[in-house]
Amino acid sequence: MPVKEGKMFIRALFDYDPNEDKAIPCKEAGLAFRKGDILQIMSQDDATWWQAKHEGDANPRAGLIPSKHFQERRFALRRPEVQIQPLKNSNRKSYAECAGHNSGSYLAGFRRSFRLSRKDKKTNKSMYECKKSDQYDTADIPTYEEVAKYRRQPNDKYRLVVLVGPVGVGLNELKRKLLISDTQHYGVTVPHTTRPRRSQESDGVEYIFISKHLFETDVQNNKFIEYGEYKNNYYGTSLDSVRSVIAKNKVCLLDVQPHTVKHLRTYEFKPFVIFIKPPSLDRLRETRKNAKIISSKDDKGTAKPFTEEDFQEMIKSAHVMESQYGHLFDKVIVNDDLATAYSELKTTFDRK
Ligand code: 5GP
């Protein structure tokens, strides 16, 4: 639905240069922008070309940008595996909506608010947070997300930290180091499983042990952020397990697959998402020559020395993650050597 002129703000999730756009009716009339820019929508009268300005731009003249639906269609043509949603009245719900939360894409007041809970001093740009909007909540193809100026409340805290990265990048080591650095301040979720409890395990410590029937019911009720099956048993992380860490007044450290991040970007959680990225192939060979990796293909979970294939896979997987989900990351830390990456992680937290 067209918005009141100039009242809507969006965050661009891709780079756009009108000079490279063969479809634009007049290149000079186009507005170039970069991923992450906040744009003010001045008119949506045309279904294909909207008129917009950069946030805070005093110049009254607006430029043309591709409409969300038009851009999604263009992206979809390049990625035939992705199905795009109808423009309006989509029946598809985000996970967070299904789970009874207020929409998948409120987000981001806290994105970057770790450091920037007020005006970003460097750029002097205001903080924006995502707003609920059906039209802006349906796409698997990142084009724009609707945002509203973020007004930080005095008691707002950043409570959920999501760590994302390819297998072997050192994400678990970093998480472990953070945890032991201050067990009062940081916490982790306890996963659910349907496998029988082992003698040395206690319910609620290593896992929360539940029946297959209950697990399946919980899955149907969208209580899990993620789950998987291993040797005929289910394992999963529930939304409630995140809540229970936060209820203890701790920062919940969660590592998940990047595709689940969008389900966590709710008004309730406002996660801060950190991507742990591998260094160059040469640096991987150099820094990991004596390190070990637990292969996902190895049933026993035994650690083995890294192979050249592991390094290549790590780089490839990081590249895919960044290109598909980079717009969801608030911070990227390159784990070249563990001590430096950890210190960068700590500094990020300490700036809070
Ligand atoms: P185990 O039964 O030996 O404790 O764990 C078996 C497998 O379950 C491991 O590969 C472990 O990574 C996986 N697992 C443990 N917790 C979770 C979880 O919360 N979600 C998923 N998807 N897998 C898990």
Side-chain angles (χ1 to χ4, degrees), residues 22 36 51 56 62 72 81-82 116 123 136 187 199 214 259 277 281 310:
K22 292 197 179 91
Q51 294 177 37
E72 277 178 1
E81 80 280 5
V82 182
L116 310 171
T123 60
Y136 283 83
S199 58
L214 185 53
H259 67 86
K277 186 177 171 165
L281 199 52
D310 293 328

Side-chain angles (χ1 to χ4, degrees), residues 59-75:
N59 185 342
R61 193 178 156 270
L64 294 182
I65 62 167
S67 72
K68 179 177 171 64
H69 199 53
F70 178 55
Q71 190 60 35
E72 277 178 1
R73 288 199 171 279
R74 295 205 285 196
F75 279 160

Side-chain angles (χ1 to χ4, degrees), residues 191-192 195 198 201 207 226-228 230 235-237:
H192 284 67
R195 80 147 162 75
R198 294 172 188 150
E201 292 175 333
Y207 290 102
E226 63 80 39
Y227 65 94
Y230 178 75
Y235 294 81
T237 310

Side-chain angles (χ1 to χ4, degrees), residues 158-163 175 179 185-190 225 237-247 249-255 269 271-272 349:
Y158 190 53
R159 316 300 282 282
L160 174 60
V161 172
V162 176
L163 299 165
K175 189 168 94 173
L179 256 183
H185 186 57
Y186 299 112
V188 285
T189 53
V190 178
I225 298 161
T237 310
S238 70
L239 287 159
D240 277 346
S241 69
V242 175
R243 291 190 187 106
S244 90
V245 176
I246 292 171
N249 220 10
K250 291 185 175 185
V251 173
C252 180
L253 303 174
L254 188 67
D255 56 293
F269 293 127
F272 188 78
F349 281 85

Side-chain angles (χ1 to χ4, degrees), residues 29-63:
L31 182 79
F33 55 80
R34 301 297 304 268
K35 191 167 164 177
D37 285 356
I38 302 290
L39 307 172
Q40 185 175 8
I41 299 297
M42 306 309 290
S43 165
Q44 288 182 308
D45 289 346
D46 190 288
T48 313
W49 298 100
W50 290 348
Q51 294 177 37
K53 297 198 310 178
H54 280 276
E55 175 234 348
D57 184 356
N59 185 342
R61 193 178 156 270

